[in-house]
Amino acid sequence: MTEIILKKELDKTKLKALLAFLKSWGIEAEIKKQTPVKSTNNSEFTLSAGIWSDYQIQSDKLREEAWKRK
């Protein structure tokens, strides 16, 4: 099976024309509409920030320590 992913929403007439074209070439096709999946990367990071809530941490000092070279 091969999938074709349309990156933008098509109006019904264009979608029907595309299906008709594919079928005229003997290609079986069907439409499956999916909703985009939202990224949860930001929320995972903010949840981990609660681990450090009892500590006084300054980003400048962390960066200094992280970039020290010996």
Side-chain angles (χ1 to χ4, degrees):
M1 174 174 65
T2 302
E3 286 187 15
I4 297 175
I5 299 171
L6 303 175
K7 301 217 176 195
K8 293 184 180 179
E9 188 73 26
L10 293 178
D11 60 25
K12 288 182 181 182
T13 55
K14 289 180 181 178
L15 198 52
K16 285 181 181 179
L18 179 60
L19 283 175
F21 172 76
L22 292 172
K23 288 180 182 180
S24 72
W25 280 73
I27 299 171
E28 293 182 26
E30 66 180 39
I31 299 171
K32 290 184 181 178
K33 192 171 183 177
Q34 294 180 335
T35 56
V37 177
K38 293 182 181 180
S39 175
T40 59
N41 292 342
N42 291 339
S43 63
E44 289 175 9
F45 178 75
T46 55
L47 290 175
S48 66
I51 296 171
W52 306 104
S53 64
D54 295 334
Y55 297 90
Q56 289 191 352
I57 299 174
Q58 296 175 349
S59 60
D60 295 337
K61 289 184 179 181
L62 285 174
R63 285 188 185 97
E64 259 179 51
E65 291 294 320
W67 287 101
K68 279 187 181 177
R69 309 248 187 222
K70 293 184 179 181

